Amino acid sequence: MTDSLVEPSHRFIEVATTALELLGDGMAGVGPGTWRQDAALEAFNLACGLVAVDHQSSDDELWAIMAAFGPLLETRLAGTTPDALRDSGLVEAQGDFIATPSPMFELLVAADAAGASSHARSYYSAAVEIAFAVAAIDRHTSETELTAIEQFRGMLLRAIETMETDRKVGAQAMETDRKVGAEAMPSGPRAETAPAPEIPLTPRPLDDLLTELDDLIGLEAVKHEVKLVTNLLRVQNIRRERGLPVSDQSRHLIFTGNPGTGKTTVARLLAQIYHTLGVVERGQLVETDRAGLVAGYVGQTAPLVVARFDEADQGVLLIDEAYSLARGGERDFGREAIDTIVKLIEDRRDRIVVVMAGYPDEMENLIESNPGLRSRFPKSIHFPDYSTDELLQIVSRLGVAAGYQLDPGAAAGARRWFDFIERDQGFGNGRTARNLFEYAVAAQATRLAPFEHPTDAQLTALVAEDIPPPGTGPLTAGRPPASSLSS
C-alpha cells in the first residue's frame, strides 16, 4: 500500500503543471520554473488534508504520503517514519486545506472563465482521484472520510459549474449580437443535415448522475446517503483493482416514506450509478409490487418472482409497497414471495440489486417477518415529506416545463392550499403538487374559454382564481387537519 498514492499524485502533478505552463507567466501567481514544484506541493496538501480529516492518520496512510512525495518535495520526508511525521504535525496542519478552494484552483477557474479552456475540470478530476486513493488505503473507510470527499467534490464542482454557466450566458449573448448583425446578409444554400448516429447504451458519467441527484428538490438527507453509498463503492473499486481485501457489503436497500417523495426517481438514478460503478452490467430499473409478485393459486407465486428477477437481471428491482407481502396470514402467498425473494437475492447476489419501498412502520414489520431479510437489507434511507416551500418549487418547475408561470396571487393561493393539508400517512407529496398544477391549468382553460384571442401572457399565466380554496380541489390532496373539521 505504500505506493498507492504515487500514480494518482503523479497524474495530478502532470495535469496541474500542464495547465500552469499553458497559462504562462502573464497571470498573477504563476511563476516560470516553479510550476511542477507548485503542483507537487498542491498534491501533497490535498493528500494530507484528506488524511487529516478524521484526525486518525494511520501508519499505512503516512507511509503512502512519504512514498509519493518524499522524492518530489525538498524536505526530509523520504527519510522519516510514520511516528516522526505524525509528531511533526505536518499532516494535521493541512486539515483545513480541502475546506475551501485553493488559490491554484481559483486561478484555473478564473483562466477558464476568461477563455475556452477546461483546466479547472482537469484539476477536479485529478484531485478527486487523489481523494479516493487516500480513502482506499485503509480497509475500513469511515463515514467521516466519505462525507469529506463528497463535500470537497461538491465544492469544486459547484465553482466550475457556476463559472461555466456564466461563460455560456456570455457566449450566447455574443452569438445573439452576431446574428442580429448578420440578419441583413444573404444566406447561402443550406446543407442537408445528416441523421444523428445511434448512440449505444453506455454508462453515464458519474458526475452527471450526481448533478441530476443534486437537482432534485429537497431530499437533502437522501442525497447525502446516496452519495455515501456511491463514494464507498468507488473506494471499494480502487481497493479491488489493487488486489486489496474488500469488505463484502450488501447493496440492497430499504426506502421508507410516503408516496410521491421521489423514491422511484432516486432508485432510477441509483440504478444508473450502480451501472457506472460496475455493480451491475445494465443498470435498468424494473418496478413491481405485490400484484406483480403474488399469484392467487398454489405454485404460481415463485415463478412470478423469478420472472421479475429475470427482467431486472444486471439492474435494480424496485418493489413498491413491499410491506403488503407480509400482510396476509400464514396461508397467504405473499409469504412464499418473501421466501423466494430471499433465496434469489442470495443466488444472484452479484447480478441484481433489490430496493424495497414503503411506509416506515410497515417496512419494519416486513423485515421482522423473515429472518433472512435484515442481514440482506441492512441500510434504510428515509424520504421525508416535502415542505410547503418545496411543494411550491415542484409546482413552479412543472409550470416552467409546460410553459406556465404562477403569478404572486397564484403562488400565495397555492401556499395556503398546501398549508391546509395534513402531512399524515398517505399524503401524496409530489403527486399532490402535480394534481394541483393540473387542476390550475384546467381552471385557467375554463377561465380563458370566453376569450376569442387570448394573449400569450394570458395563456401562460396562472392567477389566484385558478387555485382552489383550501380544502377543495384535487381529491388526492389528503384530508384537512382534524382541527379544522371541529371548527
Side-chain angles (χ1 to χ4, degrees):
M1 284 301 294
T2 57
D3 62 348
S4 58
L5 282 179
V6 173
E7 287 189 16
S9 297
H10 282 188
R11 278 192 288 272
F12 178 92
I13 292 168
E14 289 302 320
V15 164
T17 302
T18 299
L20 295 175
E21 286 176 344
L22 289 172
L23 295 184
D25 2 72
M27 297 190 69
V30 180
T34 67
W35 297 307
R36 184 168 293 277
Q37 191 71 9
D38 290 344
L41 184 59
E42 184 87 354
F44 172 76
N45 290 338
L46 278 171
C48 288
L50 290 155
V51 166
V53 74
D54 60 356
H55 306 290
Q56 295 179 354
S57 53
S58 68
D59 284 358
D60 285 342
E61 289 173 328
L62 298 179
W63 280 121
I65 285 178
M66 290 185 287
F69 299 105
L72 302 176
L73 302 177
E74 296 177 359
T75 65
R76 297 180 180 178
L77 201 61
T80 191
T81 65
D83 285 339
L85 182 56
R86 194 178 288 112
D87 292 341
S88 73
L90 188 60
V91 173
E92 286 291 328
Q94 303 305 323
D96 293 333
F97 188 83
I98 62 171
T100 56
S102 72
M104 180 182 291
F105 176 72
E106 290 181 329
L107 175 68
L108 299 181
V109 170
D112 291 346
S117 55
S118 56
H119 301 310
R121 278 203 175 270
S122 298
Y123 175 108
Y124 160 82
S125 298
V128 169
E129 188 179 355
I130 289 179
F132 281 104
V134 168
I137 293 172
D138 293 331
R139 180 166 184 171
H140 174 69
T141 305
S142 69
E143 184 171 327
T144 300
E145 291 175 292
L146 296 176
T147 299
I149 291 175
E150 183 49 42
Q151 291 172 343
F152 175 65
R153 187 198 72 83
M155 175 187 69
L156 298 185
L157 203 55
R158 283 191 297 273
I160 293 170
E161 289 174 344
T162 299
M163 175 273 297
E164 290 178 342
T165 298
D166 292 344
R167 189 172 66 182
K168 183 178 180 180
V169 169
Q172 288 174 339
M174 292 178 63
E175 178 65 11
T176 299
D177 291 344
R178 185 193 66 78
K179 287 181 177 178
V180 170
E183 278 182 353
M185 298 292 291
S187 59
R190 300 180 105 182
E192 291 295 325
T193 303
E198 289 190 9
I199 302 175
L201 183 61
T202 57
R204 291 177 58 192
L206 191 58
D207 283 341
D208 290 356
L209 293 169
L210 294 178
T211 296
E212 190 172 331
L213 177 70
D214 284 332
D215 286 342
L216 297 178
I217 292 171
L219 304 177
E220 296 310 317
V222 173
K223 296 172 186 177
H224 176 72
E225 291 295 333
V226 171
K227 289 172 184 176
L228 288 183
V229 170
T230 301
N231 290 341
L232 181 59
L233 287 171
R234 294 180 72 172
V235 171
Q236 290 176 333
N237 282 348
I238 293 172
R239 291 183 63 86
R240 193 173 290 109
E241 289 166 2
R242 294 177 181 168
L244 298 171
V246 176
S247 300
D248 186 18
Q249 296 185 338
S250 174
R251 309 284 186 238
H252 312 298
L253 296 167
I254 297 288
F255 284 180
T256 64
N258 276 332
T261 48
K263 296 187 290 294
T264 301
T265 300
V266 172
R268 187 172 291 110
L269 279 172
L270 191 64
Q272 295 179 65
I273 289 171
Y274 280 158
H275 184 204
T276 297
L277 293 176
V279 176
V280 292
E281 290 184 5
R282 295 171 62 198
Q284 79 281 19
L285 177 72
V286 173
E287 302 174 57
T288 192
D289 55 15
R290 179 185 169 94
L293 297 169
V294 179
Y297 300 97
V298 176
Q300 293 183 344
T301 291
L304 270 182
V305 177
V306 171
R308 298 294 85 76
F309 270 72
D310 287 344
E311 290 175 32
D313 190 51
Q314 293 297 351
V316 172
L317 177 65
L318 173 63
I319 304 175
D320 197 18
E321 298 181 348
Y323 53 82
S324 63
L325 296 175
R327 276 186 168 175
E330 291 299 323
R331 296 185 178 182
D332 185 79
F333 295 121
R335 303 282 174 167
E336 181 184 353
I338 295 172
D339 293 341
T340 308
I341 288 169
V342 171
K343 181 178 185 305
L344 289 174
I345 284 175
E346 185 61 30
D347 292 346
R348 307 187 186 190
R349 58 184 176 274
D350 296 326
R351 302 185 60 83
I352 194 170
V353 174
V354 177
V355 178
M356 297 202 296
Y359 300 120
D361 293 342
E362 285 85 343
M363 291 304 295
E364 181 61 27
N365 293 336
L366 169 65
I367 295 299
E368 293 291 342
S369 71
N370 187 293
L373 285 175
R374 190 169 297 280
S375 63
R376 290 168 176 81
F377 292 86
K379 188 175 185 63
S380 179
I381 299 178
H382 181 64
F383 289 66
D385 289 331
Y386 288 113
S387 67
T388 293
D389 285 340
E390 291 166 346
L391 291 168
L392 283 171
Q393 289 181 54
I394 293 173
V395 173
S396 178
R397 187 173 290 185
L398 289 169
V400 170
Y404 293 90
Q405 185 172 6
L406 276 72
D407 76 359
R415 177 177 292 279
R416 288 190 297 271
W417 193 83
F418 284 128
D419 282 341
F420 191 79
I421 302 171
E422 187 175 5
R423 296 339 194 240
D424 60 356
Q425 181 169 303
F427 172 57
N429 285 285
R431 297 173 192 173
T432 299
R434 178 176 290 278
N435 289 341
L436 177 61
F437 170 71
E438 292 174 351
Y439 181 101
V441 169
Q444 186 227 43
T446 301
R447 176 171 56 83
L448 295 180
F451 292 80
E452 195 168 327
H453 300 291
T455 66
D456 287 354
Q458 290 173 318
L459 289 169
T460 57
L462 298 177
V463 302
E465 186 180 342
D466 302 324
I467 306 298
T472 67
L475 296 177
T476 55
R479 68 177 186 273
S483 59
S484 69
L485 296 176
S486 60
S487 58

